[in-house]
Amino acid sequence: MAQRITTLIQDRLVVAVKTLYGADLTATDLPLSNTRKEFVGDFTVVVFPLTRVARKKPEEIGAEIGQYLLQHVPEIVDFNVIKGFLNLAVSPRYWQDYLSGIYSDTTFGIQPANGQKVLVEFSSPNTNKPLHLGHVRNILLGWSVSRILEAAGYKVFKVQIVNDRGIAICKSMLAWKKFGVGATPESTGMKSDHFVGDYYVRFEQEFQKEYQQWQASAAGQEIFRQHAKADESEATFFKGYKDQYFNQHSALGAEAQEMLRSWEQHDPATLELWKTLNNWVYAGFNATYDRLGVSFDKLYYESDTYLLGKDMVEKGLEKDVFYREPDNSVWIDLEDAKLDRKVVQRRDGTAVYITQDLGTAELRYEDFGVEKMVYVVADEQIYHFQVLFEILKRLGAPYASGLYHLAYGMVDLPTGKMKSREGTVVDADDLIDEVIAEAWENSRERGTIADLPEKEQAEVIEQIALAALKFFIIKVNPQKRMIFDPRESVDMQGTTGPYVQNAYVRIQSVLRKAGDEDLSAAAEYGTLEKEEQDLIAQLAQFPDLIQEAARNYDPSIIANYCYNLAKAYHRYYHDFSILKADSSAARAFRLQLSTAIANTLRNGMDMLGIAMPERM
RNA sequence: GGUCCCGUAGCUCAGCUGGAUAGAGCAACUGACUUCUAAUCAGUAGGUCACAGGUUCGAAUCCUGUCGGGAUCACCA
């Protein structure tokens, strides 16, 4: 395709302003917007800002520039001025040529490689319990951002850091050892990550029981008398004392900590137990990832990386980025960046969380040599990443300017926050099961795919169900906290994934009936309908939009675009006949248009991790 | 208390690098399938863009403040 129409017009605008008013402006000073649908035209120039350089009334300026463009830009065939708005009409011929240039391009919108590499980290669960709704938002964001970056020309590496060690998994291990009596996922027929998760819950229950008993005991009452604030109730006090109890008084707590210590000392039996449980969890995670259609290029494990970062500490000390306190702990002072003082190495010489992240970043740079690293992590860790990035910058990491924390808001339920203690956490597998069940029910009522073999039906149903779930989550701007209403998430009408799929399916149905015909007659199609011109103009925005979505790490831009394109097509489909168009030229043109829209919808939805069925 | 994010229709969300009369979907009501898939389309109704100032020819959008919601400020991860 030749130069994009918008930049072409903007370039001429710059010349027009220079010629007419002698002013040196750039294209960015003269933004072009899409003409609102209630006015005639394709693009609009707001001329108010030019009153200063032109020293004329807006209406006059609009008329002069409009006249100039009409004479000097062949693609512009008409203009009108309303108040300070200059509306430009692009020739139908241009739009038709544009369409015939793209309609058969199945990779429309996707940019050629730009030679840059980016790493995207997402998911990164703890291994003590199954994936839940919060992970789902994370995973869908990470996956779609990866796909969008690929479409924008980057080479993308998808990774996660698996939090496979620490006190949490030790709790599951201990509970399984104490109460599991040799049970396995196989012996119980459970999905293996849920199996392990249940032992984590079991631990918490047993611990709670123990804590309750202790609270009533003489020892517990003594602590309450000694440490409670004056007017503090027993319940409030013990609620706040839980962690201390776990660390100092609890038998179960002591056992779990002993488990962690023996893990750190590489005790063979403990390592064996740890591996067994983690492998169960991984098998379960992988099943869920498969259902969600996501995969990773490399997995990092915290058990391998938690000691990393020591050489970064040395390096930082040499460069005077860090300093050592008399007690041997190592610090960085970030007060000039309004980030306070942070510990990077404990008194005892061990690494803290952020030090591991320093080491992991360095390791990943060695592994992939990327220019950019994107961390998809909930917004509660914004401060952590500000500190991490600032430290890497001061250490002179070559990738420091390419670090980005994609911070997304937490997922709430209509009833409020998800709380594991109250059992309101929405499980990822359950969620997928529910939306699939809903899709089956809808499909049976409609009966449109009943003639397909059972296996193909199931495939289509799964595509529809996951489209509903994924689109529901991905359409919301990542930055915002979102409310997840399970009832709405299985909706398949309105602003939903299935709605977009349906536009695609309608096109496929038309194209199947049209067969494999020569569409060159489209060139003879004379005047385009307003709706047709608008649809092509909408298609033409797609490549730019991908860049914008990539620049902002925001898949919701693509989701909203797909919805709007599908919406425009649904209306067009309703109002105009394609196969029974008035002329063979019109029919050919409309088939081209439909094909281009199908390609665009498929590519856009693919970036969101949503597959398009041929029938539904 | 410091810092950051959010506040748009009953509900869920777009619009935010300033531009024309603030848009969708859901829910409610009405209409359109002998027609290319009605998971669709058309219509009715629904607004102090939290509030108050400021900048501007022009503010939902930018700035300041207030209110409301959330996050964060560990030798935890």
Side-chain angles (χ1 to χ4, degrees):
Chain A
M1 208 55 223
Q3 198 181 12
R4 286 178 325 174
I5 187 73
T6 48
T7 50
L8 183 146
I9 294 172
Q10 278 182 302
D11 289 351
R12 302 307 179 85
L13 258 175
V14 170
V15 178
V17 172
K18 174 75 176 165
T19 311
L20 293 168
Y21 311 117
D24 287 300
L25 298 180
T26 61
T28 46
D29 300 322
L30 299 162
L32 216 54
S33 53
N34 298 310
T35 303
R36 295 176 58 122
K37 59 177 177 291
E38 57 266 38
F39 301 102
V40 176
D42 296 293
F43 299 109
T44 296
V45 185
V46 181
V47 298
F48 288 109
L50 294 170
T51 50
R52 277 217 341 269
V53 295
R55 299 174 171 282
K56 289 181 180 174
K57 288 183 179 151
E59 290 85 347
E60 238 175 292
I61 300 168
E64 286 175 355
I65 296 177
Q67 196 59 42
Y68 180 95
L69 293 174
L70 189 59
Q71 279 164 12
H72 294 85
V73 185
E75 288 83 359
I76 290 177
V77 290
D78 196 12
F79 74 92
N80 62 79
V81 182
I82 298 168
K83 292 196 267 178
F85 300 92
L86 167 60
N87 300 316
L88 302 168
V90 173
S91 77
R93 171 55 46 195
Y94 172 84
W95 290 124
Q96 246 184 290
D97 288 348
Y98 182 84
L99 176 64
S100 73
I102 62 153
Y103 85 92
S104 60
D105 179 5
T106 53
T107 64
F108 175 61
I110 295 165
Q111 314 293 311
N114 64 11
Q116 288 201 62
K117 287 178 282 187
V118 54
L119 180 142
V120 181
E121 176 200 293
F122 61 99
S123 191
S124 304
N126 289 318
T127 59
N128 60 314
K129 44 184 190 285
L131 302 173
H132 58 69
L133 179 53
H135 294 113
V136 174
R137 188 178 197 190
N138 181 305
I139 291 165
L140 297 180
L141 274 173
W143 180 262
S144 52
V145 161
S146 300
R147 301 288 295 128
I148 288 165
L149 288 168
E150 275 171 9
Y154 291 91
K155 171 81 183 145
V156 178
F157 301 100
K158 299 178 292 290
V159 307
Q160 55 171 320
I161 178 134
V162 183
N163 299 300
D164 61 344
R165 61 168 287 279
I167 196 70
I169 184 67
C170 287
K171 288 179 183 177
S172 291
M173 284 155 63
L174 184 65
W176 183 77
K177 201 171 146 185
K178 287 177 92 81
F179 314 114
V181 289
T184 66
E186 291 75 24
S187 74
T188 55
M190 285 182 70
K191 186 162 178 288
S192 54
D193 51 340
H194 291 252
F195 176 84
V196 175
D198 282 359
Y199 283 97
Y200 183 77
V201 172
R202 180 70 188 273
F203 179 93
E204 290 299 331
Q205 286 167 348
E206 296 292 336
F207 171 73
Q208 209 50 247
K209 225 187 283 172
E210 186 198 270
Y211 190 27
Q212 294 290 340
Q213 280 170 13
W214 180 80
Q215 284 171 27
S217 74
Q221 288 298 312
E222 182 61 23
I223 294 286
F224 173 64
R225 271 195 301 278
Q226 282 174 11
H227 298 283
K229 291 185 208 104
D231 53 352
E232 202 174 17
S233 76
E234 207 174 306
T236 316
F237 171 78
F238 282 121
K239 205 176 164 191
Y241 194 75
K242 193 180 156 194
D243 283 352
Q244 271 195 62
Y245 171 75
F246 181 89
N247 288 324
Q248 293 169 14
H249 309 281
S250 165
L252 280 168
E255 276 189 89
Q257 282 172 320
E258 180 51 36
M259 185 78 87
L260 182 58
R261 263 190 299 278
S262 67
W263 181 88
E264 280 169 357
Q265 286 157 12
H266 312 293
D267 171 62
T270 307
L271 285 180
E272 190 57 38
L273 176 61
W274 173 72
K275 278 183 194 159
T276 303
L277 263 72
N278 270 342
N279 284 334
W280 284 336
V281 171
Y282 299 147
F285 283 176
N286 286 338
T288 308
Y289 289 141
D290 279 350
R291 296 181 87 188
L292 288 172
V294 304
S295 59
F296 298 86
D297 297 300
K298 182 172 172 115
L299 269 53
Y300 291 88
Y301 295 91
E302 209 198 24
S303 54
D304 295 328
T305 62
Y306 82 110
L307 298 172
L308 285 178
K310 290 203 112 170
D311 44 343
M312 299 287 277
V313 173
E314 288 309 312
K315 198 172 150 195
L317 283 167
E318 278 166 31
K319 290 187 163 188
D320 285 330
V321 172
F322 302 152
Y323 63 92
R324 199 183 288 276
E325 286 282 335
D327 69 359
N328 201 41
S329 58
V330 180
W331 294 73
I332 183 164
D333 186 348
L334 299 173
E335 275 177 31
D336 50 342
K338 288 204 265 186
L339 292 170
D340 224 331
R341 283 171 13 122
K342 302 298 297 180
V343 162
V344 295
Q345 192 174 76
R346 293 191 189 96
R347 223 174 345 201
D348 61 9
T350 55
V352 294
Y353 177 52
I354 198 145
T355 320
Q356 294 174 39
D357 275 0
L358 292 171
T360 306
E362 198 69 8
L363 177 63
R364 288 169 176 179
Y365 182 66
E366 286 163 18
D367 286 348
F368 296 104
V370 292
E371 284 87 5
K372 290 171 184 280
M373 293 193 199
V374 179
Y375 294 81
V376 183
V377 179
D379 61 8
E380 59 191 353
Q381 294 203 45
I382 287 174
Y383 177 72
H384 170 75
F385 282 101
Q386 283 174 341
V387 172
L388 177 69
F389 295 170
E390 184 64 25
I391 295 175
L392 285 166
K393 190 172 124 196
R394 295 188 185 200
L395 288 173
Y399 48 85
S401 64
L403 293 165
Y404 184 77
H405 174 204
L406 173 45
Y408 61 90
M410 296 292 203
V411 183
D412 292 327
L413 300 174
T415 48
K417 287 189 189 186
M418 284 197 286
K419 289 187 180 139
S420 56
R421 278 182 55 190
E422 290 166 21
T424 55
V425 176
V426 176
D427 177 76
D429 295 309
D430 293 348
L431 196 59
I432 296 168
D433 289 341
E434 277 160 32
V435 68
I436 287 176
E438 183 72 22
W440 267 118
E441 204 171 308
N442 285 345
S443 181
R444 283 199 192 95
E445 280 170 24
R446 296 163 48 79
T448 43
I449 58 168
D451 59 316
L452 291 175
E454 180 82 7
K455 192 168 165 252
E456 281 175 48
Q457 281 188 47
E459 222 167 278
V460 170
I461 293 300
E462 204 165 305
Q463 285 175 342
I464 295 169
L466 282 162
L469 177 60
K470 289 178 177 183
F471 198 90
F472 184 76
I473 291 173
I474 222 79
K475 72 178 178 190
V476 180
N477 183 324
Q479 195 180 24
K480 289 194 175 180
R481 236 183 142 85
M482 71 173 288
I483 296 179
F484 184 92
D485 187 335
R487 282 201 320 273
E488 283 181 34
S489 73
V490 299
D491 254 356
M492 315 224 167
Q493 276 147 24
T495 315
T496 67
Y499 175 95
V500 180
Q501 287 178 321
N502 185 230
Y504 179 85
V505 163
R506 284 176 139 186
I507 294 172
Q508 296 314 309
S509 175
V510 170
L511 294 179
R512 272 194 302 274
K513 292 203 163 79
D516 193 17
E517 70 183 70
D518 178 21
L519 300 181
S520 56
E524 274 109 64
Y525 185 49
T527 44
L528 274 61
E529 301 289 345
K530 167 79 172 146
E531 289 83 349
E532 293 170 336
Q533 197 154 318
D534 288 349
L535 275 167
I536 302 172
Q538 222 172 323
L539 286 173
Q541 294 171 13
F542 188 51
D544 285 346
L545 224 64
I546 293 172
Q547 296 296 352
E548 192 190 332
R551 206 168 41 245
N552 296 316
Y553 305 96
D554 183 0
S556 71
I557 293 175
I558 299 293
N560 285 306
Y561 173 81
C562 288
Y563 170 71
N564 285 319
L565 184 61
K567 184 177 168 61
Y569 187 80
H570 274 307
R571 185 211 288 255
Y572 176 69
Y573 178 92
H574 181 267
D575 291 346
F576 296 89
S577 184
I578 296 159
L579 294 175
K580 289 180 194 147
D582 291 339
S583 66
S584 58
R587 178 184 151 107
F589 169 84
R590 288 173 184 177
L591 285 169
Q592 283 189 353
L593 180 59
S594 299
T595 306
I597 288 169
N599 285 337
T600 306
L601 289 177
R602 194 195 52 245
N603 291 345
M605 293 291 267
D606 182 50
M607 286 171 215
L608 309 180
I610 298 174
M612 296 297 233
E614 298 301 303
R615 294 177 51 180
M616 66 191 285

